[in-house]
Amino acid sequence: MEARRKHPRRPSLGRAVIALATAALIGGSACGVPTAADGVRRPSPTPPATAPATAPATAPATPEPATTIPDPDEAIPESPAKLAATLAKTNAALNAAIDAWSKQGPPPEDVELLALYQQRVYRYAAGHPKVASRAFARLPAALAAQARDNTAAIRGLLSLARPIKPSATFRVQEPRPAAELLGHFKKAERRFGVEWEVLAAVMFAETKFGRVKSPSYVGAQGPMQFMPATWKAYGMGGDVHDLRDAVMGAANYLRASGAPRDYRRALYAYNPSQAYVDAITKHARQMKRDPRNYYAYHNWQVFVLTTEGERRLTGL
């Protein structure tokens, strides 16, 4: 769901660049020495005069241009062609940055800024379906599928959001490291049989991996947003605000509601909305297709819908 918090924004750290390496392949050839029919080696005919046998001069390879890391409020292209090119470039740069990241501790700046820009591109696409449809048709099949899933999920969750007054105040916080959360998700999967990607998608949709700290407008609490009565029944005596306890409680509840046999039924019990079920299913599917998407999602930020427009509450 869309979070409803107010948080002072950290100043922009400016623009950084990722240098892209270029490799060159050098080919070679071999030649033999002619032999006469009697088996005696004869000197080869004197070749015509040529330039000294030195290695031919070659122009140095032209390096690929560096990838510029977008600023937090970088403009989103509005034309389908430019939107498609920007998404493809951003996705490739983000994947490379995630691959280079140790996954321990806070994310490096390039991961955080590229993930934020990816998120903002998808949010723009969710609000401009005609432009998005034409842009995604230009993408390779795998990236187009990812783009359609993310855009549809965002659109579905936005349909459930309640715009708030711009003066409303909320509490947000830094999330726990991605590796730590992944450990909780996988422990819950081993205990209850609920796929870790589904548990991650639920926390992602509910609180952006724990960034949202305040209860929802209906009283749901904690990083997995439990109503008090549901937590009492399925929280196994834990603390609804504790990350490990919340993940275990969510896995327990989803298992009791039909998972892993019927995830859609279980997710509908968690939040009775087909738009919610579709969004969780799509985000989980993307994490299954490429685990790097988990780390990208972990760096998506909290946006809030107000009666005067959209506002971002967390991130650089």
Side-chain angles (χ1 to χ4, degrees):
M1 68 180 180
E2 288 295 306
R4 305 167 185 85
R5 311 292 186 274
K6 184 175 181 181
H7 181 65
R9 193 154 133 206
R10 287 182 281 173
S12 168
L13 297 182
R15 303 170 75 95
V17 295
I18 301 175
L20 300 179
T22 308
L25 297 178
I26 303 175
S29 60
C31 59
V33 179
T35 304
D38 58 6
V40 178
R41 292 169 63 113
R42 303 281 194 269
S44 298
T46 303
T50 60
T54 57
T58 58
T62 302
E64 296 182 22
T67 299
T68 301
I69 305 304
D71 284 335
D73 297 310
E74 189 83 12
I76 306 295
E78 298 180 359
S79 75
K82 290 183 179 179
L83 187 66
T86 295
L87 181 56
K89 180 180 178 182
T90 301
N91 192 73
L94 177 57
N95 283 343
I98 289 171
D99 287 340
W101 175 26
S102 70
K103 314 299 188 298
Q104 301 300 317
E109 184 183 88
D110 56 353
V111 170
E112 191 168 5
L113 288 173
L114 286 163
L116 172 61
Y117 194 54
Q118 181 195 57
Q119 179 187 14
R120 291 180 57 236
V121 168
Y122 284 135
R123 290 180 72 88
Y124 175 84
H128 300 80
K130 291 184 179 179
V131 174
S133 178
R134 292 170 61 191
F136 297 165
R138 297 169 174 264
L139 298 173
L143 181 54
Q146 174 184 309
R148 293 187 182 102
D149 271 359
N150 282 326
T151 301
I154 291 171
R155 189 179 297 124
L157 293 175
L158 285 173
S159 72
L160 305 177
R162 292 166 56 100
I164 59 167
K165 294 180 180 179
S167 59
T169 58
F170 304 98
R171 290 182 298 154
V172 294
Q173 62 189 358
E174 290 296 317
R176 296 301 301 166
E180 178 183 326
L181 291 177
L182 184 58
H184 294 323
F185 297 139
K186 291 189 173 182
K187 285 179 182 177
E189 178 182 46
R190 289 193 295 271
R191 179 169 177 178
F192 293 100
V194 179
E195 294 171 340
W196 75 261
E197 295 92 345
V198 172
L199 295 168
V202 170
M203 188 186 283
F204 172 53
E206 295 289 352
T207 62
K208 289 297 184 289
F209 292 108
R211 285 177 173 84
V212 177
K213 193 172 182 180
S214 298
S216 74
Y217 70 93
V218 296
Q221 300 177 27
M224 299 299 267
Q225 291 288 279
F226 269 94
M227 295 298 291
T230 309
W231 180 255
K232 184 177 180 179
Y234 297 96
M236 301 177 293
D239 180 356
V240 71
H241 298 288
D242 180 83
L243 284 166
R244 177 192 174 280
D245 291 351
V247 171
M248 288 293 179
N252 184 30
Y253 181 60
L254 289 170
R255 175 64 180 264
S257 302
R261 182 182 65 261
D262 189 342
Y263 277 111
R264 294 192 67 85
R265 176 174 173 240
L267 290 167
Y268 192 83
Y270 204 96
N271 189 327
S273 162
Q274 289 299 335
Y276 179 87
V277 173
D278 289 344
I280 299 302
T281 301
K282 287 177 170 59
H283 284 317
R285 178 165 63 203
Q286 288 309 313
M287 285 185 273
K288 290 177 188 176
R289 287 180 175 174
D290 188 341
R292 289 179 296 191
N293 289 326
Y294 164 70
Y295 295 100
Y297 290 153
H298 186 268
N299 285 280
W300 282 21
Q301 303 299 328
V302 177
F303 284 78
V304 64
L305 294 179
T306 78
T307 53
E308 295 182 1
E310 183 178 86
R311 189 168 78 238
R312 179 167 60 88
L313 303 181
T314 61
L316 294 171

